[in-house]
Structure formats: structure tokens, C-alpha cells
Amino acid sequence: MYKKIIVPIEIGSIEKGEKIFRKAAELLDNGGEIILLNVVEDIPTYVAIELPGNIIEDAMKESRERLGGLVAKTGIPAAVEVRNGSPATAIIAAAEERRADLIIIASHIPDIYNYFIGATADRVVRHAKCSVLVDR
């Protein structure tokens, strides 16, 4: 069905990530590609002053390791990519750069500010140029 699928995974919710990763494998064409993506958010400067200088690099390294572990655990072949920045912006940029035809994103139970889906999923749905499947 799809040739290239971006699967953004929040490392703190790796179980949800595994669920959508398996769904991506079911929707993938033969010879297609899945890209597991994690985005490490920037830390505001006023907070970063109090933290170790390599905190972002360490978080990115941990993300690569955890996503690699997910690939090993499931046995589903996938590329692993870790970016830094705003999650929605980075997800959309990855999809455009990789010419993805689907993004599968997990959504948490929303609060009053984003009643239907979570904030990141909402932004991705609104601005992505490819199809987006939101899993709850």
C-alpha cells in the first residue's frame, strides 16, 4: 500500500511506538521502507544553563539505541533517524525530505487545548503533505 512510511516514536511511550511500528509493517509495500523517527526537543536557554552541556547529544544517543532495540526486538527492518527541534516541524520535514507517502503517529488522550488529538499529532495532520494515520 505504501512505499515509505515515517513512524515518529516518543521514547517515553515506546510501547505505543511498537504498536504503530507493527501497523506500519502491515501497511508497507514489498520493497518499501519504514523510518523510525524520534525528535529530541530543544531545551530553553534559561533551563539549559543549569544542565550538563551534552544533554541533547546524550538524549539523541539514547534515542538511537532504544529505536535500534525496537528494531531488533520486532525483527522488522527499518531505518532509524533522530532529529533535534520541534517535534511536529521535524516530523513534517523528515516526511518531505524522505518523500514519505504516509506518517503513522500515536496520539495521547487530549486535554482541553487539543480536544480531538494531541498537539503534535494535530500539527502533523494539519501541515503534512502526505497521508497521516493517527493511532490512539
Side-chain angles (χ1 to χ4, degrees):
M1 294 173 102
Y2 296 97
K3 294 183 187 298
K4 196 166 289 197
I5 303 173
I6 302 285
V7 182
I9 295 179
E10 185 179 343
I11 294 302
S13 299
I14 199 86
E15 302 80 25
K16 281 186 178 181
E18 182 177 344
K19 179 182 170 191
I20 62 174
F21 181 30
R22 290 182 186 279
K23 281 188 180 188
E26 293 172 11
L27 296 172
L28 191 66
D29 280 343
N30 286 335
E33 180 183 19
I34 296 174
I35 299 101
L36 294 183
L37 173 67
N38 177 257
V39 181
V40 176
E41 290 189 66
D42 287 324
I43 299 172
T45 307
Y46 64 88
V47 175
I49 286 175
E50 302 296 325
L51 300 172
N54 59 345
I55 194 163
I56 297 291
E57 293 82 12
D58 289 348
M60 292 177 80
K61 180 181 176 192
E62 179 185 356
S63 293
R64 277 188 205 88
E65 290 170 358
R66 301 233 10 228
L67 293 178
L70 184 57
V71 169
K73 175 184 175 184
T74 61
I76 301 168
V80 170
E81 185 173 335
V82 178
R83 292 181 177 225
N84 176 243
S86 164
T89 302
I91 292 165
I92 292 164
E96 289 177 6
E97 290 168 19
R98 297 281 199 134
R99 294 188 176 120
D101 48 358
L102 178 66
I103 299 169
I104 300 180
I105 189 166
S107 177
H108 60 79
I109 295 175
D111 57 19
I112 190 74
Y113 298 106
N114 16 37
Y115 186 71
F116 295 108
I117 57 178
T120 300
D122 179 61
R123 289 185 191 108
V124 171
V125 167
R126 291 177 190 269
H127 301 288
K129 294 178 181 169
C130 64
S131 296
V132 179
L133 172 64
V134 179
D135 183 80
R136 190 159 302 175

